[in-house]
Amino acid sequence: MATILKGLNMPTGVAFRNGSLYVVAIDKLLRYDNAESQLENMPKPVVVYDDMPPYVAHGWKYIVMDK
């Protein structure tokens, strides 16, 4: 198994949709566009949402894609 992302603060939720990898860390939701073709050198993330409490007690976040 290879590590494809580093330096995130408590990433706990991941999802894949339309070629993008979504990762929820403790305080933000990030999107990595065209992730499959760049696994060895992931692009810089796009911040989708970053208004979440940064406290460890609120750290476990999950993501589910819907229509």
Side-chain angles (χ1 to χ4, degrees):
M1 182 182 294
T3 300
I4 61 169
L5 297 173
K6 293 181 182 180
L8 297 173
N9 188 6
M10 269 182 78
T12 54
V14 295
F16 188 78
R17 183 176 193 180
N18 297 331
S20 295
L21 176 67
Y22 291 81
V23 180
V24 180
I26 194 170
D27 58 349
K28 63 186 124 202
L29 170 60
L30 303 169
R31 184 184 75 229
Y32 296 85
D33 293 326
N34 202 20
E36 273 186 304
S37 66
Q38 303 182 66
L39 290 176
E40 292 187 22
N41 189 20
M42 290 294 279
K44 292 201 181 259
V46 173
V47 176
V48 176
Y49 187 78
D50 65 355
D51 190 22
M52 293 186 242
Y55 316 113
V56 174
H58 296 278
W60 290 95
K61 299 189 175 64
Y62 305 94
I63 185 170
V64 174
M65 296 294 183
D66 196 0
K67 296 178 187 176

